[in-house]
C-alpha cells in the first residue's frame, strides 16, 4: 500500500508540474516518516524514494542507526539548540532554522530558513519581513550553508486557500536570490504537505513533505 501511495503522489506531482509547465524532476518528494516505525520506511524503499523527513531528533537518530546509510534524512521539525549536536553527519538538510542562535549551534550543515508566512501563532518560523536580515546574519557563519526557504502553511480542507502563502514564498525566494548574498542559495523551496502539495508545486515548490498521503494517519498516542 505504501509503494502504491507513493506512486499516486508522484503522479499528482507530475500532473501539477505539467499544468504549469514545470519539469517534475525539479521537485523532490520527502516522505515524512515521523511517528512511523522503521519498518514503514523499509516498505517504502522499493519505490526508490530515499528522502525521509523526521521532526524529532531522537527518532531520526534511532532510524538512522537501523536503516540503510544511503537514505537522505531531513530534519523538518522545530530544533532545540541543545539537540543539534546529535544530528552531525546524519542529515542531508535542516529545514527549520529560525534564529541566529540556532544557526550558531549547527556544525557544517545545509539549512533552510523557516518562514511563518501565514503568521500563525501556533507555528515556529520568522516573518517574511525578518527573513532577509536573518539570512544576512547567518550567511556570515562559515559552517552553515543556506540553501533556501521552508514554510508550513495552515491546515485546511481547501488547498486553494494556501495558494497565496505559496505564491508569496516564491516571491520572497526570488527577491532574496536577486540580492546575491554571499554563501546563500535560494535553490530550495520546501513547502506543501499532504493536503496542499499540488498547489505548492504549481506555485514553485522544489520539495514537498508528504506523510499521511504516503504512510496513512498517525497515532500520536503511541
Amino acid at each position: 500500500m505504501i509503494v502504491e501511495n507513493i506512486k499516486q503522489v508522484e503522479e499528482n506531482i507530475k500532473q501539477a508540474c505539467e499544468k504549469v509547465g514545470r519539469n517534475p524532476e525539479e521537485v523532490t518528494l520527502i516522505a515524512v516518516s515521523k511517528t512511523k516505525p522503521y519498518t514503514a520506511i523499509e516498505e517504502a524503499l522499493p519505490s526508490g524514494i530515499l528522502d525521509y523527513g523526521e521532526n524529532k531528533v531522537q527518532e531520526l537518530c534511532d532510524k538512522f542507526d537501523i536503516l540503510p546509510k544511503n537514505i537522505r534524512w531531513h530534519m523538518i521539525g522545530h530544533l532545540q539548540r541543545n539537540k543539534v549536536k546529535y544530528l552531525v553527519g546524519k542529515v542531508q538538510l535542516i529545514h527549520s532554522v529560525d534564529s541566529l542562535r540556532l544557526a550558531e549551534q549547527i556544525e557544517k550543515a545545509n539549512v533552510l530558513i523557516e518562514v511563518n508566512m501565514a503568521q500563525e501563532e501556533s507555528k515556529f518560523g520568522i516573518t517574511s519581513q525578518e527573513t532577509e536580515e536573518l539570512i544576512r546574519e547567518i550567511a556570515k557563519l562559515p559552517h552553515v550553508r543556506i540553501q533556501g526557504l521552508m514554510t508550513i502553511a495552515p491546515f485546511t480542507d481547501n488547498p486553494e486557500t494556501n495558494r497565496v502563502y505559496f505564491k508569496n514564498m516564491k516571491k520572497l525566494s526570488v527577491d532574496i536570490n536577486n540580492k546575491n548574498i554571499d554563501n546563500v542559495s535560494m535553490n530550495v523551496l520546501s513547502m506543501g504537505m499532504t493536503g496542499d502539495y499540488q498547489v505548492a508545486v504549481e506555485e514553485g515548490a522544489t520539495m514537498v513533505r508528504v506523510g499521511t498521503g504516503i504512510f496513512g494517519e498517525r497515532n500520536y498516542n503511541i
Side-chain angles (χ1 to χ4, degrees), residues 15-205:
Q15 290 178 8
C17 286
E18 288 174 352
K19 185 176 174 182
V20 294
R22 293 185 67 193
N23 183 345
E25 293 180 6
E26 295 174 7
V27 182
T28 299
L29 171 59
I30 299 172
V32 178
S33 46
K34 65 180 185 180
T35 79
K36 294 296 182 179
Y38 74 90
T39 50
I41 297 176
E42 288 180 329
E43 193 178 332
L45 286 173
S47 71
I49 294 290
L50 290 175
D51 292 272
Y52 293 85
E54 293 288 336
N55 71 337
K56 285 187 165 43
V57 171
Q58 186 62 55
E59 193 174 348
L60 188 154
C61 291
D62 289 347
K63 289 173 180 173
F64 177 90
D65 290 340
I66 296 170
L67 290 160
K69 292 300 178 273
N70 63 335
I71 287 176
R72 296 183 290 264
W73 294 102
H74 296 254
M75 180 63 197
I76 62 174
H78 180 65
L79 184 55
Q80 296 171 300
R81 297 196 304 279
N82 64 341
K83 298 282 183 69
V84 169
K85 60 191 174 198
Y86 300 112
L87 294 177
V88 175
K90 293 183 172 75
V91 292
Q92 176 87 4
L93 190 61
I94 298 172
H95 290 233
S96 48
V97 173
D98 60 1
S99 73
L100 179 60
R101 291 177 71 195
L102 174 58
E104 287 171 339
Q105 295 296 314
I106 295 171
E107 293 181 47
K108 202 170 183 183
N110 295 316
V111 306
L112 304 180
I113 304 303
E114 182 174 358
V115 182
N116 186 350
M117 186 57 76
Q119 298 188 15
E120 290 184 281
E121 289 185 12
S122 61
K123 300 265 176 70
F124 293 100
I126 58 170
T127 67
S128 57
Q129 293 83 3
E130 298 168 321
T131 303
E132 183 183 338
E133 182 180 355
L134 179 60
I135 284 175
R136 288 188 181 277
E137 289 299 315
I138 294 176
K140 297 172 186 174
L141 303 174
H143 53 284
V144 175
R145 294 179 297 278
I146 297 173
Q147 301 292 319
L149 305 176
M150 180 270 251
T151 197
I152 301 173
F155 179 79
T156 177
D157 291 327
N158 179 8
E160 281 299 327
T161 62
N162 282 339
R163 188 179 293 275
V164 63
Y165 304 122
F166 299 143
K167 194 184 292 282
N168 288 340
M169 278 292 292
K170 175 63 175 179
K171 182 179 184 301
L172 180 62
S173 172
V174 170
D175 288 346
I176 291 171
N177 191 55
N178 288 339
K179 300 288 174 65
N180 295 315
I181 305 168
D182 287 344
N183 198 31
V184 173
S185 162
M186 284 289 123
N187 290 335
V188 178
L189 195 51
S190 171
M191 60 186 192
M193 299 192 293
T194 294
D196 55 19
Y197 67 89
Q198 288 156 278
V199 172
V201 168
E202 290 172 15
E203 295 299 336

